[in-house]
Amino acid sequence: MNWITFFIDKAVPVVMAILTLIIGLSLIKVFNRLLTKQVEKSKMDESLKPFILSVFSVVMKILLIIVVIGILGIPTASFVAVIGAGSLAIGLAFQGALSNLAGGVLLLTMRPFKVGDYIEGSGYSGTVKAIQILYTELITPDNKMIYIPNGTLSNAGIVNYSVHDTRRVDFTFGVGYETDTQHVLNVLEGILNNHELVMSDPEPFIRLSAHGDSAVEYVARVWVKSEDYWTVYFDVLQEVKKSFDQEGISISYP
């Protein structure tokens, strides 16, 4: 009887703990789905949605583990003592993860970018898809997914190309020394003023900028809407080559 009683005393808490763990994980999944629906319907910033969902899931699982440990009869004080004793080792082992967590909080607090912005940072560039707890997801123009640790990203320089509505497009053209300067300026001015996507205010800036070893360099700067940047860039390059050929302007090279 003693063995049976001992077995029952030990087995029942274990069975209860396992059932609690299974039921708890199932409930967390249900709550996650419900919270996801509510968050998606809300007007909350897109950058915060995945972060809040991730934090909720982690917190709920930690609470579930504490409950399961309590059912097993492990004193909470002992559990806290174990956590305290192992905190140093855990901190050293997961210092990268903790740094990324702090970086994620910093990015969401300072908000140097948001979901949908096109950014450059840590040697990568792309459109922000999500800001998770530990990393930020970028989609490159050729549809590749890049995962950048938040710790690295928050400590590096970040270039956000989507903050302002307008951007400046800079061009440099090398022309042979034998070509008339005013002729080149007139041709460039005509090309830029006739492009429908180039803004007239501020007006295009066109000047002779340098006397190179094998060419006279002309700089042209125009302002465009951010979404028109690459369209104007490629259009102007193509039109300059075409017009220079028609006007007999030589594009010098070494």
Short mmCIF file of all heavy atoms in Angstrom, two decimals, residues 184-228:
data_model
loop_
_atom_site.label_atom_id
_atom_site.label_comp_id
_atom_site.label_asym_id
_atom_site.label_seq_id
_atom_site.Cartn_x
_atom_site.Cartn_y
_atom_site.Cartn_z
N VAL A 184 26.51 72.12 -74.52
CA VAL A 184 26.24 70.99 -73.62
C VAL A 184 25.21 71.40 -72.57
O VAL A 184 24.26 70.65 -72.29
CB VAL A 184 27.54 70.53 -72.93
CG1 VAL A 184 27.24 69.43 -71.91
CG2 VAL A 184 28.54 70.04 -73.96
N LEU A 185 25.39 72.59 -71.99
CA LEU A 185 24.45 73.05 -70.97
C LEU A 185 23.04 73.18 -71.52
O LEU A 185 22.05 72.83 -70.86
CB LEU A 185 24.92 74.38 -70.39
CG LEU A 185 26.23 74.36 -69.61
CD1 LEU A 185 26.64 75.78 -69.20
CD2 LEU A 185 26.10 73.48 -68.36
N ASN A 186 22.91 73.68 -72.75
CA ASN A 186 21.60 73.85 -73.37
C ASN A 186 20.91 72.51 -73.62
O ASN A 186 19.70 72.36 -73.40
CB ASN A 186 21.72 74.63 -74.68
CG ASN A 186 22.11 76.08 -74.45
OD1 ASN A 186 21.92 76.63 -73.36
ND2 ASN A 186 22.66 76.72 -75.48
N VAL A 187 21.70 71.53 -74.08
CA VAL A 187 21.12 70.20 -74.34
C VAL A 187 20.64 69.55 -73.05
O VAL A 187 19.54 69.00 -72.98
CB VAL A 187 22.16 69.30 -75.06
CG1 VAL A 187 21.64 67.87 -75.15
CG2 VAL A 187 22.46 69.84 -76.45
N LEU A 188 21.47 69.62 -72.03
CA LEU A 188 21.08 69.03 -70.74
C LEU A 188 19.85 69.74 -70.16
O LEU A 188 18.94 69.09 -69.61
CB LEU A 188 22.23 69.12 -69.75
CG LEU A 188 23.44 68.22 -70.04
CD1 LEU A 188 24.56 68.50 -69.03
CD2 LEU A 188 23.04 66.75 -69.98
N GLU A 189 19.81 71.05 -70.27
CA GLU A 189 18.68 71.81 -69.75
C GLU A 189 17.39 71.41 -70.47
O GLU A 189 16.33 71.25 -69.85
CB GLU A 189 18.93 73.31 -69.92
CG GLU A 189 17.83 74.18 -69.35
CD GLU A 189 18.13 75.67 -69.49
OE1 GLU A 189 19.18 76.00 -70.08
OE2 GLU A 189 17.33 76.48 -69.01
N GLY A 190 17.47 71.24 -71.78
CA GLY A 190 16.29 70.85 -72.55
C GLY A 190 15.78 69.47 -72.14
O GLY A 190 14.57 69.25 -72.02
N ILE A 191 16.71 68.53 -71.93
CA ILE A 191 16.32 67.16 -71.53
C ILE A 191 15.62 67.17 -70.19
O ILE A 191 14.55 66.56 -70.01
CB ILE A 191 17.56 66.25 -71.48
CG1 ILE A 191 18.14 66.06 -72.88
CG2 ILE A 191 17.21 64.89 -70.86
CD1 ILE A 191 19.47 65.33 -72.88
N LEU A 192 16.19 67.87 -69.22
CA LEU A 192 15.63 67.86 -67.87
C LEU A 192 14.32 68.62 -67.77
O LEU A 192 13.38 68.20 -67.08
CB LEU A 192 16.66 68.43 -66.89
CG LEU A 192 17.98 67.66 -66.80
CD1 LEU A 192 18.94 68.35 -65.85
CD2 LEU A 192 17.75 66.23 -66.36
N ASN A 193 14.23 69.75 -68.47
CA ASN A 193 13.00 70.55 -68.41
C ASN A 193 11.84 69.88 -69.13
O ASN A 193 10.67 70.14 -68.81
CB ASN A 193 13.24 71.94 -69.00
CG ASN A 193 14.10 72.81 -68.10
OD1 ASN A 193 14.17 72.59 -66.89
ND2 ASN A 193 14.77 73.80 -68.69
N ASN A 194 12.15 69.02 -70.09
CA ASN A 194 11.09 68.36 -70.85
C ASN A 194 10.60 67.06 -70.22
O ASN A 194 9.60 66.49 -70.69
CB ASN A 194 11.57 68.08 -72.28
CG ASN A 194 11.74 69.35 -73.10
OD1 ASN A 194 11.04 70.33 -72.87
ND2 ASN A 194 12.66 69.33 -74.05
N HIS A 195 11.29 66.60 -69.20
CA HIS A 195 10.84 65.36 -68.55
C HIS A 195 9.68 65.68 -67.61
O HIS A 195 9.82 66.50 -66.70
CB HIS A 195 11.99 64.71 -67.78
CG HIS A 195 11.75 63.26 -67.47
ND1 HIS A 195 10.75 62.83 -66.61
CD2 HIS A 195 12.37 62.12 -67.91
CE1 HIS A 195 10.77 61.51 -66.53
NE2 HIS A 195 11.74 61.05 -67.30
N GLU A 196 8.57 65.01 -67.79
CA GLU A 196 7.35 65.34 -67.05
C GLU A 196 7.43 65.02 -65.55
O GLU A 196 6.68 65.59 -64.75
CB GLU A 196 6.15 64.60 -67.65
CG GLU A 196 6.30 63.08 -67.64
CD GLU A 196 5.11 62.37 -68.27
OE1 GLU A 196 4.24 63.07 -68.82
OE2 GLU A 196 5.07 61.13 -68.21
N LEU A 197 8.35 64.14 -65.16
CA LEU A 197 8.46 63.76 -63.76
C LEU A 197 9.47 64.59 -62.98
O LEU A 197 9.55 64.49 -61.76
CB LEU A 197 8.82 62.27 -63.63
CG LEU A 197 7.80 61.28 -64.20
CD1 LEU A 197 8.29 59.85 -64.01
CD2 LEU A 197 6.43 61.46 -63.55
N VAL A 198 10.24 65.42 -63.69
CA VAL A 198 11.21 66.29 -63.04
C VAL A 198 10.49 67.53 -62.51
O VAL A 198 9.75 68.20 -63.23
CB VAL A 198 12.33 66.71 -64.00
CG1 VAL A 198 13.24 67.76 -63.36
CG2 VAL A 198 13.16 65.49 -64.39
N MET A 199 10.70 67.85 -61.24
CA MET A 199 10.03 68.99 -60.63
C MET A 199 10.65 70.30 -61.09
O MET A 199 11.86 70.40 -61.27
CB MET A 199 10.11 68.87 -59.10
CG MET A 199 9.47 67.61 -58.54
SD MET A 199 9.73 67.43 -56.75
CE MET A 199 8.82 68.85 -56.14
N SER A 200 9.80 71.30 -61.28
CA SER A 200 10.29 72.62 -61.69
C SER A 200 10.67 73.49 -60.49
O SER A 200 11.34 74.51 -60.64
CB SER A 200 9.22 73.34 -62.52
OG SER A 200 8.01 73.46 -61.79
N ASP A 201 10.22 73.10 -59.30
CA ASP A 201 10.54 73.83 -58.07
C ASP A 201 10.89 72.83 -56.99
O ASP A 201 10.02 72.07 -56.53
CB ASP A 201 9.36 74.68 -57.63
CG ASP A 201 9.68 75.56 -56.44
OD1 ASP A 201 10.89 75.81 -56.20
OD2 ASP A 201 8.74 76.00 -55.75
N PRO A 202 12.16 72.75 -56.61
CA PRO A 202 13.32 73.53 -57.07
C PRO A 202 13.67 73.19 -58.53
O PRO A 202 13.51 72.05 -58.95
CB PRO A 202 14.44 73.10 -56.13
CG PRO A 202 13.77 72.40 -54.98
CD PRO A 202 12.55 71.79 -55.55
N GLU A 203 14.14 74.19 -59.24
CA GLU A 203 14.46 73.99 -60.65
C GLU A 203 15.75 73.18 -60.80
O GLU A 203 16.59 73.14 -59.90
CB GLU A 203 14.62 75.33 -61.35
CG GLU A 203 15.75 76.19 -60.82
CD GLU A 203 15.84 77.52 -61.53
OE1 GLU A 203 14.91 77.85 -62.29
OE2 GLU A 203 16.85 78.22 -61.33
N PRO A 204 15.90 72.50 -61.93
CA PRO A 204 17.11 71.69 -62.16
C PRO A 204 18.38 72.53 -62.07
O PRO A 204 18.42 73.69 -62.50
CB PRO A 204 16.90 71.15 -63.58
CG PRO A 204 15.42 71.13 -63.76
CD PRO A 204 14.92 72.35 -63.02
N PHE A 205 19.42 71.92 -61.51
CA PHE A 205 20.72 72.58 -61.37
C PHE A 205 21.69 71.92 -62.35
O PHE A 205 21.92 70.71 -62.29
CB PHE A 205 21.25 72.43 -59.94
CG PHE A 205 22.61 73.00 -59.71
CD1 PHE A 205 22.79 74.32 -59.37
CD2 PHE A 205 23.73 72.19 -59.86
CE1 PHE A 205 24.06 74.84 -59.15
CE2 PHE A 205 25.00 72.70 -59.65
CZ PHE A 205 25.17 74.03 -59.30
N ILE A 206 22.27 72.72 -63.26
CA ILE A 206 23.19 72.19 -64.28
C ILE A 206 24.41 73.10 -64.33
O ILE A 206 24.29 74.30 -64.59
CB ILE A 206 22.52 72.15 -65.67
CG1 ILE A 206 21.16 71.44 -65.60
CG2 ILE A 206 23.42 71.43 -66.68
CD1 ILE A 206 20.33 71.61 -66.86
N ARG A 207 25.60 72.53 -64.11
CA ARG A 207 26.81 73.32 -64.12
C ARG A 207 27.99 72.47 -64.59
O ARG A 207 27.99 71.25 -64.49
CB ARG A 207 27.14 73.85 -62.71
CG ARG A 207 26.19 74.90 -62.19
CD ARG A 207 26.32 76.22 -62.94
NE ARG A 207 25.54 77.27 -62.29
CZ ARG A 207 24.24 77.47 -62.49
NH1 ARG A 207 23.60 76.65 -63.32
NH2 ARG A 207 23.61 78.45 -61.89
N LEU A 208 29.03 73.17 -65.10
CA LEU A 208 30.30 72.52 -65.37
C LEU A 208 30.98 72.36 -64.01
O LEU A 208 31.17 73.33 -63.28
CB LEU A 208 31.15 73.38 -66.30
CG LEU A 208 32.43 72.76 -66.87
CD1 LEU A 208 32.82 73.47 -68.18
CD2 LEU A 208 33.59 72.85 -65.88
N SER A 209 31.36 71.12 -63.67
CA SER A 209 31.80 70.87 -62.30
C SER A 209 33.29 70.58 -62.16
O SER A 209 33.86 70.79 -61.09
CB SER A 209 31.02 69.69 -61.71
OG SER A 209 31.25 68.51 -62.47
N ALA A 210 33.96 70.09 -63.22
CA ALA A 210 35.37 69.73 -63.06
C ALA A 210 36.05 69.60 -64.41
O ALA A 210 35.41 69.28 -65.43
CB ALA A 210 35.51 68.43 -62.28
N HIS A 211 37.38 69.85 -64.42
CA HIS A 211 38.21 69.59 -65.59
C HIS A 211 38.99 68.30 -65.33
O HIS A 211 39.99 68.30 -64.61
CB HIS A 211 39.18 70.76 -65.83
CG HIS A 211 38.49 72.04 -66.16
ND1 HIS A 211 39.07 73.28 -65.95
CD2 HIS A 211 37.26 72.29 -66.67
CE1 HIS A 211 38.23 74.24 -66.33
NE2 HIS A 211 37.13 73.65 -66.76
N GLY A 212 38.51 67.21 -65.86
CA GLY A 212 39.13 65.92 -65.61
C GLY A 212 40.34 65.69 -66.51
O GLY A 212 40.69 66.52 -67.35
N ASP A 213 40.99 64.54 -66.33
CA ASP A 213 42.17 64.21 -67.12
C ASP A 213 41.84 64.01 -68.59
O ASP A 213 42.64 64.33 -69.48
CB ASP A 213 42.82 62.93 -66.57
CG ASP A 213 43.40 63.15 -65.18
OD1 ASP A 213 43.72 64.31 -64.85
OD2 ASP A 213 43.51 62.16 -64.43
N SER A 214 40.65 63.48 -68.87
CA SER A 214 40.30 63.18 -70.26
C SER A 214 38.93 63.73 -70.64
O SER A 214 38.45 63.46 -71.73
CB SER A 214 40.31 61.66 -70.48
OG SER A 214 39.40 61.02 -69.61
N ALA A 215 38.27 64.47 -69.74
CA ALA A 215 36.93 64.97 -70.05
C ALA A 215 36.58 66.16 -69.18
O ALA A 215 37.14 66.36 -68.09
CB ALA A 215 35.90 63.86 -69.84
N VAL A 216 35.67 66.97 -69.69
CA VAL A 216 35.08 68.05 -68.90
C VAL A 216 33.82 67.47 -68.26
O VAL A 216 32.96 66.91 -68.95
CB VAL A 216 34.71 69.25 -69.79
CG1 VAL A 216 34.05 70.35 -68.94
CG2 VAL A 216 35.95 69.80 -70.49
N GLU A 217 33.68 67.59 -66.95
CA GLU A 217 32.57 66.97 -66.24
C GLU A 217 31.47 67.99 -65.96
O GLU A 217 31.74 69.11 -65.50
CB GLU A 217 33.04 66.35 -64.92
CG GLU A 217 34.02 65.20 -65.14
CD GLU A 217 34.45 64.56 -63.83
OE1 GLU A 217 34.00 65.04 -62.76
OE2 GLU A 217 35.23 63.59 -63.87
N TYR A 218 30.25 67.58 -66.25
CA TYR A 218 29.08 68.41 -66.00
C TYR A 218 28.21 67.70 -64.96
O TYR A 218 27.98 66.50 -65.05
CB TYR A 218 28.27 68.64 -67.28
CG TYR A 218 29.02 69.44 -68.32
CD1 TYR A 218 29.93 68.81 -69.18
CD2 TYR A 218 28.81 70.81 -68.46
CE1 TYR A 218 30.62 69.53 -70.14
CE2 TYR A 218 29.51 71.54 -69.43
CZ TYR A 218 30.40 70.90 -70.26
OH TYR A 218 31.10 71.62 -71.21
N VAL A 219 27.70 68.46 -63.99
CA VAL A 219 26.83 67.89 -62.98
C VAL A 219 25.41 68.40 -63.19
O VAL A 219 25.20 69.57 -63.54
CB VAL A 219 27.32 68.25 -61.55
CG1 VAL A 219 27.27 69.75 -61.31
CG2 VAL A 219 26.49 67.53 -60.51
N ALA A 220 24.45 67.51 -63.05
CA ALA A 220 23.03 67.87 -63.16
C ALA A 220 22.31 67.30 -61.95
O ALA A 220 22.48 66.13 -61.61
CB ALA A 220 22.44 67.32 -64.45
N ARG A 221 21.51 68.14 -61.29
CA ARG A 221 20.76 67.71 -60.10
C ARG A 221 19.31 68.12 -60.26
O ARG A 221 19.01 69.30 -60.51
CB ARG A 221 21.36 68.34 -58.84
CG ARG A 221 22.82 67.96 -58.59
CD ARG A 221 23.43 68.82 -57.51
NE ARG A 221 24.84 68.48 -57.30
CZ ARG A 221 25.69 69.23 -56.61
NH1 ARG A 221 25.28 70.38 -56.08
NH2 ARG A 221 26.96 68.85 -56.48
N VAL A 222 18.41 67.15 -60.08
CA VAL A 222 16.98 67.43 -60.23
C VAL A 222 16.23 66.82 -59.05
O VAL A 222 16.67 65.84 -58.44
CB VAL A 222 16.43 66.86 -61.55
CG1 VAL A 222 17.11 67.52 -62.74
CG2 VAL A 222 16.62 65.35 -61.62
N TRP A 223 15.09 67.41 -58.74
CA TRP A 223 14.24 66.91 -57.66
C TRP A 223 13.03 66.20 -58.25
O TRP A 223 12.42 66.68 -59.22
CB TRP A 223 13.79 68.06 -56.76
CG TRP A 223 14.89 68.57 -55.88
CD1 TRP A 223 15.78 69.57 -56.15
CD2 TRP A 223 15.24 68.08 -54.58
NE1 TRP A 223 16.66 69.73 -55.11
CE2 TRP A 223 16.35 68.84 -54.12
CE3 TRP A 223 14.72 67.08 -53.75
CZ2 TRP A 223 16.94 68.63 -52.89
CZ3 TRP A 223 15.30 66.87 -52.52
CH2 TRP A 223 16.40 67.63 -52.10
N VAL A 224 12.70 65.06 -57.65
CA VAL A 224 11.57 64.26 -58.12
C VAL A 224 10.82 63.71 -56.92
O VAL A 224 11.30 63.75 -55.78
CB VAL A 224 12.06 63.08 -59.00
CG1 VAL A 224 12.81 63.59 -60.22
CG2 VAL A 224 12.92 62.12 -58.20
N LYS A 225 9.64 63.18 -57.15
CA LYS A 225 8.93 62.44 -56.11
C LYS A 225 9.70 61.15 -55.83
O LYS A 225 10.28 60.56 -56.73
CB LYS A 225 7.50 62.12 -56.54
CG LYS A 225 6.62 63.35 -56.67
CD LYS A 225 5.20 62.96 -57.04
CE LYS A 225 4.30 64.19 -57.11
NZ LYS A 225 2.91 63.83 -57.48
N SER A 226 9.68 60.72 -54.58
CA SER A 226 10.48 59.56 -54.18
C SER A 226 10.18 58.33 -55.01
O SER A 226 11.09 57.58 -55.39
CB SER A 226 10.24 59.26 -52.69
OG SER A 226 10.69 60.32 -51.88
N GLU A 227 8.91 58.13 -55.33
CA GLU A 227 8.55 56.94 -56.10
C GLU A 227 8.99 57.01 -57.57
O GLU A 227 8.99 56.00 -58.28
CB GLU A 227 7.04 56.68 -56.04
CG GLU A 227 6.18 57.79 -56.62
CD GLU A 227 5.76 58.81 -55.59
OE1 GLU A 227 6.45 58.93 -54.54
OE2 GLU A 227 4.73 59.50 -55.82
N ASP A 228 9.39 58.22 -58.03
CA ASP A 228 9.80 58.39 -59.43
C ASP A 228 11.33 58.39 -59.59
O ASP A 228 11.83 58.62 -60.69
CB ASP A 228 9.25 59.71 -59.98
CG ASP A 228 7.73 59.72 -60.03
OD1 ASP A 228 7.14 58.63 -60.20
OD2 ASP A 228 7.14 60.81 -59.89
#
